[in-house]
Amino acid sequence: MSLLQQTKLSILDLAPIRDDGDAAQSLHNSLALAQHAERLGFERFWVAEHHNMDGIASSATSVLLGYLAAGTSTIRLGSGGVMLPNHSPLVIAEQFGTLATLYPGRIDLGLGRAPGADHFTAQALRRDRLGSADDFPADVEELQRYLGPRTDDQRVIAVPGTGTQVPIWLLGSSLFSAQLAGQKGLPYAFASHFAPRYMHEAIRIYRNHFQPSEVLDKPYVMLGVPLLLADTDEQAQYLATSAFQRILALLRGHSLKQRPPVQSMEGLWLPHEREGVSNFFGMAVIGGPETARKRLEMILEQTGADELIFTCDMYDFADRLHSFDLLAELAGKR
């Protein structure tokens, strides 16, 4: 059995909005993708919190998770992640405690320490709350207390939430959360799907600092991977231009709505922009089945990851579904 066949596979969805679509269609597509992933035998389906981005419809993460949970039955669902500085730990404990109460054994809580938005949006989200990334370790501990068993001296409780023990993951794109996840004995997900630069160092720091806990007896690493898998290398490269255009728009501060693929990116980006987009996709798997298989096996050999979680930014929803069909075949799931 190959490494890929032994590795858990999951999906991270941002509910992308097309240039000719709307948020409602994107949210319906998110449910259809979660149902498809469940049929294919994927481990989990996560959605990410982003704000003030016209091409992403997953801003109300816990609300979307409730919609997804109601339309599925077995796949694990969670946040990839909730940006904790934007919220009070009690509110998140109540939201995810409610989800876990309604859908026991299926809810994950992935936490990030970035705002998931620009400075002005972060201010609008927090208003008078003084939360910042510096508070992250204390906020995580507070959240763990709300989700754990009630203590005799506990004056504030989360209802629902108390005693649900919703699994907490720490997410990161730098080194801070890697060390914290290791020290707390929590599973760690690195955002190599958009910031691969520190991936190897973050994995090393996490494993070196890992202390066994009630949650884990050994480190558990999940890596984000952009997936642009099609029937041939040529078709995959063509479809990937939609993803390239979206990151180019991000770099330029333009609309993030999905754009149709193009035959060539030449003339659409400047040399330094091409390099920036290329860096963003440093961990991407772009190609037909054989190219993708080799690339994925190499990633697993080099990182020893326990799980891979895939983004798939393709313009046509049918192409996204097909990409995961092909991945499932490579992993021996169908």
Side-chain angles (χ1 to χ4, degrees):
M1 185 179 291
S2 69
L3 280 176
L4 180 58
Q5 292 172 328
Q6 298 174 52
T7 303
K8 292 180 179 179
L9 306 180
S10 298
I11 295 175
L12 173 64
D13 187 36
L14 275 64
I17 302 174
R18 284 176 34 147
D19 60 355
D20 62 351
D22 57 24
Q25 185 60 57
S26 299
L27 296 173
H28 295 324
N29 284 347
S30 191
L31 175 58
L33 183 57
Q35 293 169 335
H36 194 65
E38 183 172 81
R39 288 191 294 269
L40 292 174
F42 280 69
E43 181 71 14
R44 66 190 89 239
F45 187 93
W46 282 5
V47 292
E49 176 187 349
H50 290 279
H51 300 279
N52 197 28
M53 295 184 180
D54 66 351
I56 295 175
S58 56
S59 56
T61 311
S62 59
V63 177
L64 177 54
L65 287 173
Y67 172 62
L68 299 177
T72 55
S73 57
T74 58
I75 194 168
R76 295 196 66 89
L77 300 162
S79 56
V82 159
M83 300 296 105
L84 198 51
N86 296 336
H87 313 277
S88 79
L90 176 60
V91 169
I92 296 304
E94 290 171 341
Q95 289 176 354
F96 280 77
T98 298
L99 288 167
T101 300
L102 291 170
Y103 307 100
R106 295 184 58 206
I107 303 300
D108 299 322
L109 175 51
L111 300 172
R113 63 188 286 266
D118 60 81
H119 174 70
F120 296 103
T121 308
Q123 285 186 319
L125 283 164
R126 299 173 192 177
R127 292 288 177 168
D128 296 330
R129 187 168 185 269
L130 301 178
S132 75
D134 295 334
D135 301 325
F136 188 64
D139 285 348
V140 172
E141 286 190 13
E142 183 180 351
L143 185 50
Q144 287 180 304
R145 287 196 298 272
Y146 290 137
L147 294 173
R150 183 176 183 178
T151 59
D152 293 338
D153 60 346
Q154 189 171 348
R155 300 183 64 179
V156 178
I157 60 173
V159 182
T162 297
T164 55
Q165 304 281 21
V166 178
I168 289 177
W169 294 64
L170 295 193
L171 283 55
S173 58
S174 60
L175 308 179
F176 181 91
S177 292
Q179 182 171 333
L180 183 63
Q183 292 170 342
K184 296 183 73 65
L186 294 172
Y188 177 60
F190 186 78
S192 40
H193 59 290
F194 70 82
R197 179 180 177 187
Y198 296 111
M199 178 186 70
H200 289 289
E201 188 174 0
I203 293 172
R204 179 185 61 79
I205 287 175
Y206 169 64
R207 288 174 175 154
N208 287 346
H209 285 83
F210 185 84
Q211 298 177 19
S213 68
E214 295 180 357
V215 177
L216 286 177
D217 58 2
K218 61 181 181 179
Y220 191 95
V221 173
M222 179 162 65
L223 299 178
V225 177
L227 181 73
L228 297 148
L229 176 55
D231 290 325
T232 66
D233 288 353
E234 293 74 19
Q235 179 70 358
Q237 290 290 342
Y238 169 68
L239 295 176
T241 59
S242 285
F244 296 163
Q245 290 178 79
R246 202 140 92 120
I247 301 309
L248 179 61
L250 178 66
L251 296 177
R252 291 176 172 177
H254 295 171
S255 170
L256 294 183
K257 289 188 176 181
Q258 287 181 311
R259 296 166 174 80
V262 294
Q263 290 298 328
S264 173
M265 289 293 294
E266 293 305 317
L268 297 182
W269 53 18
L270 298 171
H272 72 279
E273 292 174 325
R274 178 176 183 171
E275 182 179 359
V277 173
S278 178
N279 290 339
F280 189 100
F281 286 100
M283 275 283 287
V285 174
I286 305 174
E290 185 58 21
T291 298
R293 184 190 63 78
K294 292 177 180 177
R295 173 74 167 152
L296 289 166
E297 292 287 347
M298 182 190 72
I299 290 171
L300 292 170
E301 288 174 4
Q302 291 181 349
T303 65
D306 300 284
E307 187 170 341
L308 301 178
I309 186 163
F310 295 91
T311 60
C312 185
D313 194 3
M314 290 181 173
Y315 187 72
D316 285 331
F317 185 61
D319 289 327
R320 294 181 75 200
L321 296 179
H322 186 53
S323 194
F324 287 114
D325 284 338
L326 294 173
L327 177 61
E329 291 177 7
L330 290 176
K333 294 182 178 294
R334 53 177 302 179

